[in-house]
Amino acid sequence: MMRRYHLIPVAIFIALAGGLYVGLDPDRNPKAVPSALIDQPVPEFALPPVEGRGLGLASADLRGEVALVNVFASWCGPCRVEHPLLMDLAAKRVVAVHGINYKDQPKAAAEWLLRLGDPYTRTGADRDGRVSIDWGVYGVPETFVVDRAGRIRYKHVGPLQADDLEQKILPLIRRLQG
Amino acid sequence: MMRARCLALVLVLLAAGARAETVLPDPASEARAVELHKSLRCLVCQNQSIHDSNADLAVDLRQIVRERVAAGESDAGVVDYVVRRYGDFVLLRPPVKASTYLLWFGPALILLAGATAAFRFLRRARAAGLGAPAPLSDQERRTLAALRDGREP
């Protein structure tokens, strides 16, 4: 009878240690906000292309094929870090890559794409950032995986890294395409 | 004097630049908007409300809240607009629902568990007579009597 109670502190310790162990996971980003839009249709929007590009981006363009939508800006340092990965992805033609240009100067955005290369099939210039807010964007870069039905299936916050692509994003894309 | 005035002008311009936003003309609506701003978390600097934050996104969200208040939307409607995009995380006061029961009622549960444990412990201690000193044994009684009489025990 008495002995059972002695296990309570042990149980509390194990629960606490377990919680702290999860909290110490180096891959966990405590600032990442779970997206409210996962499995929701993309918001209704229509954006003109970045200056000098032909194709704008609208919700209708995101139906019919699996797509990667990357929110970027020329003033955003981490966007430059992930840029080569997007170029590589576009060159391999694994998936349609589209860009939403967040609160950028038209000239600066055009120059960025000219100088560094343009991985995007379609671009949407979101000058006032309102469309990005509809997408639940809170910091560039952010990358979304959209399925054939035009639903958001995954969101990545921060610059893409090779590991994120290999382990999470590309397997998901293959599954959605399969 | 002249220099002080220049400095004041520069400060006013700086402040205006930092908060490039328009306040609602109707003071009651603006007050409502500000109350809503205080209840919404800024997602860029996550321990501030959008009222306190000068992040670009916070300025935009403040403006969106003002527009919706001015358009006659209810407080719940405005909050719902932001929650649909950013989730419950933006609410500085989390809603009471199944996934937050532990958060809301956990402290009361822990207090209850502690009080129950303390109550049971005290009751058992009293039942076992731990509260009162144990009666003296015969040996102790004899020793005490000897000391009282001034003899060697």
Side-chain angles (χ1 to χ4, degrees):
Chain A
M1 181 64 192
M2 203 50 202
R3 191 159 292 169
R4 249 191 14 225
Y5 290 112
H6 289 156
L7 292 176
I8 292 177
V10 178
I12 293 175
F13 170 77
I14 290 173
L16 207 61
L20 292 174
Y21 182 76
V22 171
L24 284 171
D25 179 358
D27 290 335
R28 196 182 74 103
N29 175 7
K31 290 196 79 179
V33 181
S35 176
L37 292 167
I38 298 295
D39 292 334
Q40 301 286 319
V42 296
E44 284 303 316
F45 73 99
L47 288 172
V50 169
E51 197 173 86
R53 314 274 129 187
L55 300 171
L57 185 63
S59 4
D61 300 322
L62 295 172
R63 282 174 212 122
E65 64 175 342
V66 180
L68 202 68
V69 177
N70 176 246
V71 186
F72 73 104
S74 68
W75 46 262
C76 145
C79 298
R80 189 176 291 250
V81 174
E82 68 173 7
H83 188 266
L85 279 178
L86 290 169
M87 289 301 286
D88 187 48
L89 210 58
K92 286 181 183 152
R93 298 184 177 280
V94 191
V95 63
V97 182
H98 303 305
I100 293 178
N101 183 223
Y102 178 71
K103 293 190 106 172
D104 217 340
Q105 296 296 324
K107 290 265 183 306
E111 201 199 308
W112 155 284
L113 292 178
L114 273 180
R115 199 156 34 88
L116 294 176
D118 180 358
Y120 308 114
T121 309
R122 293 174 168 275
T123 53
D126 187 16
R127 295 291 311 278
D128 61 7
R130 289 296 176 95
V131 167
S132 298
I133 286 179
D134 286 342
W135 279 75
V137 169
Y138 63 92
V140 277
E142 286 189 14
T143 305
F144 297 83
V145 176
V146 180
D147 69 12
R148 281 204 185 91
R151 270 177 317 197
I152 295 172
R153 298 298 289 266
Y154 185 78
K155 168 179 171 168
H156 180 90
V157 179
L160 288 170
Q161 274 155 10
D163 276 0
D164 303 317
L165 272 178
E166 304 288 322
Q167 284 163 24
K168 290 182 197 144
I169 296 174
L170 287 175
L172 173 65
I173 286 173
R174 273 184 226 114
R175 209 168 66 232
L176 293 174
Q177 285 170 335
Chain B
M1 187 60 202
M2 189 62 195
R3 254 170 96 183
R5 218 174 264 180
C6 275
L7 184 67
L9 183 66
V10 165
L11 285 177
V12 165
L13 287 175
L14 275 178
R19 288 178 170 246
E21 50 185 310
T22 46
V23 170
L24 292 176
D26 171 29
S29 300
E30 176 64 17
R32 249 188 76 202
V34 167
E35 279 313 303
L36 286 164
H37 293 163
K38 286 180 181 165
S39 75
L40 295 169
R41 184 196 300 273
C42 169
L43 288 118
V44 181
C45 26
Q46 297 181 352
N47 290 325
Q48 285 185 309
S49 72
I50 59 170
H51 176 74
D52 298 323
S53 172
N54 271 325
D56 207 26
L57 182 67
V59 177
D60 288 352
L61 284 171
R62 280 203 291 268
Q63 214 51 34
I64 286 175
V65 168
R66 284 202 180 89
E67 282 166 21
R68 301 190 85 84
V69 166
E73 198 165 318
S74 69
D75 287 2
V78 176
V79 168
D80 185 55
Y81 172 91
V82 185
V83 168
R84 274 204 310 277
R85 284 155 183 76
Y86 292 104
D88 286 339
F89 185 71
V90 292
L91 301 174
L92 285 173
R93 186 187 165 81
V96 180
K97 57 190 212 180
S99 59
T100 59
Y101 282 163
L102 198 61
L103 175 72
W104 278 99
F105 306 119
L109 278 179
I110 291 170
L111 181 67
L112 200 69
T116 310
F119 177 74
R120 290 177 61 149
F121 175 80
L122 289 176
R123 200 179 50 180
R124 194 164 3 178
R126 196 171 308 150
L130 292 180
L136 297 178
S137 66
D138 287 345
Q139 175 65 48
E140 285 165 339
R141 238 184 268 282
R142 274 196 297 277
T143 309
L144 190 62
L147 286 170
R148 206 159 36 207
D149 296 347
R151 293 180 275 122
E152 283 288 307

